[in-house]
Amino acid sequence: MKRIDIMVDLETLGKGSENPIIEFSAVAFDLISGEALSKVFIPIKLEDTIFVDPDTLVWWMKTAKDLLATIVLNGAKDGIPERDALALFNSWISDLCREYGVPADRVYLWGNGILFDNRFIKDRMSRYNLPYPIYYRNDRDVRTLVDTYADLIGSTYAELKAQRDPSLVEHSSFDDCLAQIDLVCRSYRGLAKKVS
């Protein structure tokens, strides 16, 4: 293996660095086949003092209130503090690098909009004095790749996303990782065919 690609997805109670992560998932995958190589799913225990964005809470209530309740209850029952979850993520990446013999600067972190998931993780790690485990050039954006491919084939991001496996629960961080991996790999293979 020459590289490790990781898809990450967070569920949060807001878009700002002060808002809590409530669920964290990451899946290492093969960029060509889409095969999942390793995964981590972490329910987060909410801290006593949290800052919830009212607009995000309204969005959850309109979009997936039962899922939000499940996520928060799972966090209360089985979750770990946010700092511990991020430290676990770092350890998981280090273990992957050792297992596959891949240097840390060949790990690529995919997020559905690098200004959200990837930035959120980086900001949070900085808050907890944890090192961000991704080389500064290796953040990757699902939306950019999929939009590029969609434009090339005369489609749209929404049309490609609509081909999502119906068994995957939208806004569940782990299922969203799997759906985003499928989108990235389909787009990557499609672009590769256009180039060859």
Side-chain angles (χ1 to χ4, degrees):
M1 235 177 138
K2 295 180 181 174
R3 62 185 279 162
I4 295 174
D5 288 275
I6 296 172
M7 183 64 69
V8 69
D9 191 76
L10 308 175
E11 299 305 331
T12 69
L13 290 178
K15 296 177 241 162
S17 60
E18 71 283 358
N19 302 120
I21 299 170
I22 56 174
E23 193 174 70
F24 185 114
S25 291
V27 178
F29 66 100
D30 181 283
L31 187 57
I32 304 299
S33 70
E35 175 190 2
L37 307 171
S38 181
K39 63 183 184 249
V40 64
F41 169 78
I42 311 169
I44 309 290
K45 179 176 284 205
L46 292 175
E47 305 292 329
D48 291 336
T49 305
I50 61 169
F51 298 96
V52 177
D53 173 52
D55 291 337
T56 301
L57 192 55
V58 168
W59 177 88
W60 272 109
M61 292 295 109
K62 289 180 178 177
T63 308
K65 67 181 174 186
D66 293 338
L67 179 60
L68 174 62
T70 299
I71 291 170
V72 171
L73 291 173
N74 285 343
K77 180 179 159 213
D78 299 320
I80 62 176
E82 188 178 83
R83 186 198 188 288
D84 296 346
L86 294 167
L88 178 66
F89 178 62
N90 270 358
S91 296
W92 176 72
I93 290 175
S94 294
D95 291 345
L96 282 173
C97 289
R98 276 192 298 280
E99 180 181 346
Y100 290 102
V102 173
D105 67 351
R106 298 291 293 154
V107 175
Y108 297 85
L109 187 66
W110 292 84
N112 198 18
I114 59 170
L115 292 179
F116 187 74
D117 297 287
N118 299 43
R119 181 194 52 81
F120 214 99
I121 292 168
K122 187 174 185 176
D123 289 351
R124 272 311 207 279
M125 287 186 164
S126 177
R127 172 192 284 185
Y128 296 122
N129 294 315
L130 294 168
Y132 185 59
I134 305 303
Y135 186 59
Y136 76 98
R137 288 188 287 198
N138 292 1
D139 285 296
R140 296 292 184 259
D141 182 17
V142 171
R143 292 176 195 269
T144 301
L145 178 68
V146 175
D147 274 341
T148 301
Y149 177 59
D151 286 348
L152 195 61
I153 64 170
S155 187
T156 66
Y157 178 90
E159 289 170 342
L160 293 177
K161 185 180 174 188
Q163 297 169 18
R164 178 185 177 115
D165 178 343
S167 71
L168 299 176
V169 177
E170 202 162 2
H171 310 303
S172 158
S173 65
F174 183 71
D175 284 359
D176 282 351
C177 276
L178 296 178
Q180 289 160 195
I181 287 169
D182 177 62
L183 260 178
V184 162
C185 293
R186 278 190 286 133
S187 299
Y188 186 83
R189 287 189 303 263
L191 286 168
K193 283 180 189 172
K194 293 285 187 187
V195 171
S196 60

